[in-house]
């Protein structure tokens, strides 16, 4: 295995194009073996202040650069990410634990986002339309919001950052970014690339640190105009309260409790593959991960048996090693949460059919691993079927028909992703209409969103905004309606209209 390492001992903040050492720091731990990789600063409110000042200043000039030229920088960023894909993917596995193949996929999402948003530099369309009055022109254009604060999670430390930073930048904003403390290396690598690609100083600033200090200072800062956050429901609510009281725009993506529906006419081989991939890939640590299977009673037993067989074949270990399919959980706190839910599931009366334990693979005793786990005979009201566990734990719920399946799917407070396996086109169209989630898959698992479509969901998953897709630009721009009256006289709208 080639050695993977970071080129510094302590990661520096990146403010106004300078790498700046923090005063205090905490270790970043490799979840695969419990070893320290590097230290990361615990920044202060003063660091946030510096970053916002730099961003505010830099944004004034950047807003005047034509968008196709801003896009040129994003093309170069995309190109450099592409050239360094393997190196970055390895570092991503090192700090996050996800298996290398998935890490490569995540870096690819960042590359895709760079090229997609670069393309937007030549589009970013507004509308032209007729005015009500003669000799008058009307159009709508997008204007940058100013300084954007982005707060990103550890489970997709590079992809989610690109979903937020790239549309923000191409639209003419500056960014202050707080990456998750568990996975700061991706931020360090990305700013190095942005600098090399020629992104002007001050447009992308990184301040590492805790949510309670750095995150809170960002959310409260009067010169940060928008907050874009992906993470826990609890933190999302706090951000909503603080932003609400300041009338600050904010975009939240807060997780899911995603289900795969398997109907009695489904291709069961395909369904098993889709379920296992979306439930146990990334060790279940995706917002989009499948954590419920809603199965038609006619195929319940067969599906359950096949799932058990497939789960037995999953290999657990260090994601940098060949042949590993399930990597570690991010840390012991993550493991403890999963363990609590295993107990809750047993107490509630669900049947644990496989898994359920923390494991310590040989020579990785200090890593954080959990067995892929299946509960059966769960009911929709159980906490294991309602709450986000963020681990490799799947619950099987049996239903009689499609109506009941849709009701079960929609019974949770989240609405991110859902899926149905069926061969019946009528069921497909009913499901895509009635499943109350922002993303619906047909004959595929619940993960694997592509970056040019809107990403986000209904209900407790967010607050109505979307990451990625063209819709991301709505978070980072204000719509401006422009009226040009070339009649040379005062024309009063709604009053001086001649009716024919
Ligand atoms: C997340 O888990 O927050 O659709 C992001 C997917 C990935 C992104 C997941 N493209 O599973």
């Amino acid at each position: 295995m080639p050695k993977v390492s970071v080129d510094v001992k302590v990661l520096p903040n990146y403010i106004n194009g300078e790498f700046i050492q923090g005063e205090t720091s905490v270790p970043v731990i490799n979840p695969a073996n419990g070893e320290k990789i590097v230290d990361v600063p615990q920044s202060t409110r003063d660091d946030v202040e510096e970053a916002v000042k730099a961003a505010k200043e830099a944004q004034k000039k950047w807003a005047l650069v034509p968008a196709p030229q801003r896009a040129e920088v994003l093309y170069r960023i995309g190109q450099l990410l592409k050239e360094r894909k393997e190196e970055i993917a390895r570092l991503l596995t090192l700090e996050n634990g996800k298996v290398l193949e998935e890490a490569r996929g995540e870096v690819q999402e960042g590359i895709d986002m760079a090229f997609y948003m670069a393309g937007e530099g030549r589009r970013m369309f507004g509308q032209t339309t007729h005015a009500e009055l003669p000799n008058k022109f009307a159009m709508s254009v997008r204007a940058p919001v100013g300084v954007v604060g982005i707060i990103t999670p550890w489970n997709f430390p590079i992809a989610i950052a690109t979903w937020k930073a790239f549309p923000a930048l191409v639209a003419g904003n500056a960014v202050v970014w707080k990456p998750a403390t568990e996975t700061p290396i991706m931020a360090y690598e990305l700013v190095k690339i942005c600098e090399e690609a020629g992104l002007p100083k001050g447009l992308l600033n990184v301040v590492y640190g805790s949510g309670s200090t750095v995150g809170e200072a960002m959310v409260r800062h009067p010169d940060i105009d928008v907050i874009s956050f992906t993470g826990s429901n609890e933190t999302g609510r706090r951000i909503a309260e603080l932003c609400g009281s300041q009338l600050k725009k904010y975009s939240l993506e807060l997780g899911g409790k995603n289900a795969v529906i398997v109907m009695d006419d489904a291709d069961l081989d395909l369904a098993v593959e889709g379920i296992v991939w979306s439930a146990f890939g990334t060790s279940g640590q995706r917002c989009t991960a499948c954590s419920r299977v809603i199965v038609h009673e006619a195929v319940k037993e067969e599906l359950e048996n096949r799932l058990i067989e497939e789960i037995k074949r999953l290999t657990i270990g260090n994601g940098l090693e060949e042949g590993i399919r399930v990597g570690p959980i991010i840390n012991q706190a993550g493991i403890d949460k999963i363990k609590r839910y295993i107990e809750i599931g047993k107490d509630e009366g669900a049947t644990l059919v496989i898994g359920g334990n923390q494991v310590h693979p040989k020579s990785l005793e200090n890593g954080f691993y959990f067995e892929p786990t299946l509960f059966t005979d769960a009911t929709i009201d159980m906490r294991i079927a309602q709450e986000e566990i963020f681990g490799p734990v799947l619950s099987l719920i049996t239903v009689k028909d499609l109506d009941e399946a849709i009701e079960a799917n929609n019974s949770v407070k989240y609405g991110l992703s859902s899926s149905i396996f069926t061969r019946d086109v009528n069921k497909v169209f009913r499901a895509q209409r009635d499943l109350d989630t922002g993303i619906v898959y047909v004959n595929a698992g619940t993960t694997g969103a592509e970056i040019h479509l809107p990403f986000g969901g209904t209900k407790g998953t967010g607050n109505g905004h979307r990451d990625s897709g063209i819709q991301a630009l709505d978070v980072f721009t204000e719509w401006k309606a422009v009226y040009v009256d070339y009649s040379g006289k005062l024309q009063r709208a709604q009053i001086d209209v001649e009716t024919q």
Side-chain angles (χ1 to χ4, degrees):
M1 212 194 313
K3 180 109 183 78
V4 194
S5 61
V6 195
D7 62 11
V8 287
K9 284 205 157 47
V10 185
L11 295 169
N13 280 333
Y14 185 69
I15 298 174
N16 205 18
E18 308 283 338
F19 287 103
I20 298 169
Q21 290 302 332
E23 273 165 35
T24 55
S25 58
V26 293
V28 178
I29 303 296
N30 177 351
N33 58 19
E35 286 171 17
K36 179 170 114 172
I37 314 168
V38 70
D39 282 299
V40 61
Q42 286 288 283
S43 308
T44 62
R45 283 164 55 178
D46 290 345
D47 299 316
V48 174
E49 199 57 51
E50 287 303 306
V52 175
K53 216 164 77 193
K56 197 175 172 191
E57 205 44 45
Q59 195 268 336
K60 288 183 199 151
K61 276 197 198 145
W62 185 240
L64 301 178
V65 174
Q69 284 180 38
R70 291 183 215 137
E72 291 286 325
V73 182
L74 280 180
Y75 277 120
R76 287 198 292 276
I77 293 173
Q79 195 54 41
L80 288 170
L81 274 171
K82 202 168 161 180
E83 283 162 23
R84 296 196 198 145
K85 179 173 169 180
E86 185 62 21
E87 187 191 323
I88 294 173
R90 284 177 181 276
L91 285 167
L92 171 52
T93 297
L94 192 71
E95 67 173 355
N96 164 284
K98 65 178 65 179
V99 299
L100 188 53
E101 195 183 17
E102 291 186 34
R104 290 187 186 116
E106 184 183 336
V107 180
Q108 187 59 46
E109 279 201 58
I111 298 167
D112 295 342
M113 197 66 192
F115 291 137
Y116 175 54
M117 278 299 150
E120 279 314 305
R122 284 194 181 268
R123 285 186 294 263
M124 237 189 287
F125 299 128
Q127 294 136 349
T128 61
T129 185
H130 294 269
E132 293 171 357
L133 293 158
N135 298 320
K136 188 178 173 189
F137 181 81
M139 63 184 164
S140 63
V141 293
R142 288 186 187 275
V145 286
V147 177
V148 168
I150 71 175
I151 303 176
T152 55
W154 52 262
N155 73 329
F156 273 78
I158 190 156
I160 291 179
T162 68
W163 293 359
K164 298 179 190 299
F166 293 171
L169 288 170
V170 82
N173 303 287
V175 176
V176 176
W177 174 17
K178 187 197 100 57
T181 305
E182 294 85 348
T183 53
I185 300 171
M186 285 302 100
Y188 177 59
E189 295 301 318
L190 191 59
V191 292
K192 283 195 290 182
I193 283 181
C194 291
E195 186 173 275
E196 200 174 325
L199 186 72
K201 282 177 185 208
L203 289 177
L204 179 60
N205 304 277
V206 174
V207 185
Y208 301 105
S210 69
S212 53
T213 303
V214 174
E216 182 108 0
M218 285 168 63
V219 174
R220 286 181 182 277
H221 203 296
D223 289 334
I224 292 191
D225 303 285
V226 169
I227 291 287
S228 177
F229 169 78
T230 298
S232 75
N233 213 274
E234 197 191 347
T235 307
R237 280 172 203 272
R238 171 95 189 126
I239 290 173
E241 275 170 23
L242 288 173
C243 287
S245 65
Q246 300 167 82
L247 295 180
K248 183 179 289 198
K249 192 174 178 185
Y250 60 99
S251 160
L252 306 173
E253 202 278 277
L254 309 175
K257 187 69 190 174
N258 315 296
V260 167
I261 296 173
V262 182
M263 296 308 297
D264 49 349
D265 64 349
D267 175 342
L268 286 191
D269 291 332
L270 189 61
V272 168
E273 269 192 89
I275 293 166
V276 168
W277 167 235
S278 54
F280 304 118
T282 335
S283 308
Q285 302 172 105
R286 289 193 191 214
C287 301
T288 52
C290 166
S291 61
R292 299 181 294 154
V293 172
I294 300 167
V295 59
H296 191 284
E297 58 188 6
V299 290
K300 186 246 179 189
E301 210 176 303
E302 190 176 351
L303 183 78
E304 184 179 317
N305 290 337
R306 288 207 207 181
L307 281 173
I308 294 169
E309 282 318 300
E310 215 34 57
I311 290 171
K312 282 185 189 155
R313 289 151 65 143
L314 293 172
T315 42
I316 308 174
N318 184 343
L320 284 172
E321 275 167 31
E322 284 294 316
I324 294 298
R325 287 176 66 193
V326 181
I329 300 301
I330 190 70
N331 52 28
Q332 189 57 40
I335 295 267
D336 292 343
K337 181 176 176 196
I338 299 166
K339 280 183 174 168
R340 278 199 300 277
Y341 274 103
I342 301 295
E343 291 314 310
I344 290 169
K346 287 182 192 164
D347 289 349
E348 287 177 314
T351 314
L352 180 68
V353 281
I354 186 166
N357 301 300
Q358 177 169 13
V359 279
H360 300 278
K362 212 162 161 270
S363 79
L364 297 170
E365 284 79 6
N366 296 325
F368 311 107
Y369 297 90
F370 203 90
E371 289 173 335
T373 299
L374 181 66
F375 277 108
T376 188
D377 302 326
T379 53
I380 55 170
D381 52 327
M382 289 180 179
R383 286 181 63 193
I384 53 164
Q386 286 286 331
E387 297 171 18
E388 194 177 40
I389 303 173
F390 231 62
V393 181
L394 187 60
S395 299
L396 218 74
I397 299 163
T398 310
V399 291
K400 287 193 298 295
D401 54 28
L402 182 62
D403 285 335
E404 211 188 310
I406 290 171
E407 204 182 303
N409 179 80
N410 295 348
S411 71
V412 294
K413 69 175 182 196
Y414 296 101
L416 183 54
S417 179
S418 57
S419 129
I420 182 164
F421 282 84
T422 176
R423 290 184 168 106
D424 180 341
V425 69
N426 296 349
K427 292 196 175 89
V428 166
F429 274 83
R430 271 214 43 214
Q432 66 82 23
R433 185 193 62 195
D434 295 340
L435 291 169
D436 188 6
T437 54
I439 307 169
V440 175
Y441 291 93
V442 176
N443 292 330
T446 56
T447 60
E450 301 179 19
I451 57 88
H452 54 298
L453 280 89
F455 183 94
T458 60
K459 302 187 279 185
T461 289
N463 66 328
H465 288 292
R466 292 292 184 267
D467 270 325
S468 81
I470 196 73
Q471 292 74 9
L473 286 174
D474 287 336
V475 176
F476 304 116
T477 57
E478 288 289 355
W479 279 110
K480 188 178 281 184
V482 182
Y483 302 95
V484 182
D485 192 319
Y486 55 97
S487 68
K489 59 181 185 205
L490 175 68
Q491 298 197 90
R492 296 171 304 167
Q494 294 90 39
I495 297 169
D496 297 330
V497 184
E498 276 177 39
T499 39
Q500 300 300 319

